Amino acid sequence: MGNSESALISEKQLEIYQLETFFTRKEILHIYQSFESLNPDKVREAFMAGNYQVKMDYQEVIQLAELKYSPFKDRICRVFSEDQSGDMTFSDFLDMLSVMSMQAPKDLKAAYAFKIYDFNDDDEIDRTDLDELVNRVTGFRMKTEDVDGIVDEILKECDMDENGTLTAAEFEDILHKSPEFSAHFNIEV
């Protein structure tokens, strides 16, 4: 990365980003390049003016290769967008990549995964959320009765208090038993 890109982010702002994420200075500057590539003129103009709050709209953000084909791209963007619109500032973008980095602790990843899979935003994962999750993972190619069977099995195995929903604690417990979770809930920088 050349000096011109690093000059667009002040040293003080770089230090703040380092404190708020799991990234090094070099990684932050590399991530800036990805963010800038979504709309180069818009980002450069804003950053040159010291406006680090410039937003990329959802349609721009999902052009990122790591999100483009994800069945959860809309939820990921909403959850990490400060105003839940799916539009992202560079800080939102950094937060998303930081949480989904290999350096992020499993507990933090689990908390955000719970938010992403809580499609109706009611602070629990219920049958409706699980239906949506299974359908998205399978590309909406399964019969309703097959999806229902999978959801029944998930709830049977994971719903410790048998109330038909998964709490954040139940969800986190499931993920702690899944050693591959952190590797799959990951976006390479």
Side-chain angles (χ1 to χ4, degrees):
M1 166 147 223
N3 289 337
S4 63
E5 283 84 1
S6 62
L8 294 177
I9 304 174
S10 72
E11 287 300 319
K12 181 179 179 183
Q13 191 62 45
L14 272 171
E15 288 175 21
I16 291 168
Y17 290 148
Q18 282 182 272
L19 291 172
E20 293 177 344
T21 68
F22 300 102
F23 294 126
T24 65
R25 170 190 166 86
K26 183 177 179 181
E27 290 168 325
I28 292 166
L29 293 173
H30 177 74
I31 292 165
Y32 168 81
Q33 281 185 319
S34 293
F35 186 74
E36 182 188 273
S37 74
L38 298 172
N39 189 329
D41 294 337
K42 180 179 179 180
V43 173
R44 278 193 182 164
E45 184 178 317
F47 271 62
M48 283 195 297
N51 175 11
Y52 303 121
Q53 297 305 310
V54 62
K55 284 189 177 185
M56 296 293 105
D57 68 40
Y58 169 73
Q59 292 302 322
E60 291 171 315
V61 175
I62 62 170
Q63 295 310 306
L64 182 68
E66 293 83 359
L67 288 176
K68 195 172 198 169
Y69 301 106
S70 170
F72 304 105
K73 64 182 166 249
D74 61 319
R75 291 295 303 166
I76 293 168
C77 289
R78 268 191 79 212
V79 165
F80 285 98
S81 172
E82 189 174 342
D83 63 5
Q84 285 83 44
S85 68
D87 300 345
M88 289 190 170
T89 64
F90 182 62
S91 185
D92 296 335
F93 191 72
L94 265 179
D95 289 345
M96 173 186 70
L97 294 175
S98 182
V99 168
M100 298 183 107
S101 71
M102 290 304 287
Q103 298 93 327
K106 198 170 188 175
D107 292 354
L108 183 62
K109 287 177 173 283
Y112 276 93
F114 182 84
K115 290 177 184 183
I116 290 166
Y117 302 146
D118 178 15
F119 293 95
N120 56 16
D121 298 317
D122 62 357
D123 296 323
E124 60 186 16
I125 295 178
D126 59 21
R127 179 171 284 284
T128 304
D129 296 318
L130 290 170
D131 283 345
E132 183 71 16
L133 175 63
V134 171
N135 278 314
R136 285 184 184 218
V137 167
T138 61
F140 294 90
R141 291 186 294 261
M142 293 183 74
K143 294 179 184 173
T144 302
E145 55 269 12
D146 293 337
V147 172
D148 289 344
I150 292 171
V151 169
D152 289 342
E153 283 302 310
I154 292 170
L155 288 172
K156 181 179 170 185
E157 290 291 320
C158 306
D159 181 15
M160 299 305 169
D161 58 7
E162 300 178 351
N163 68 349
T165 66
L166 301 178
T167 64
E170 289 170 325
F171 184 78
E172 190 172 317
D173 188 52
I174 297 162
L175 297 182
H176 279 295
K177 295 174 185 172
S178 174
E180 68 279 353
F181 165 68
S182 286
H184 291 293
F185 197 76
N186 184 40
I187 295 178
E188 290 280 329
V189 175

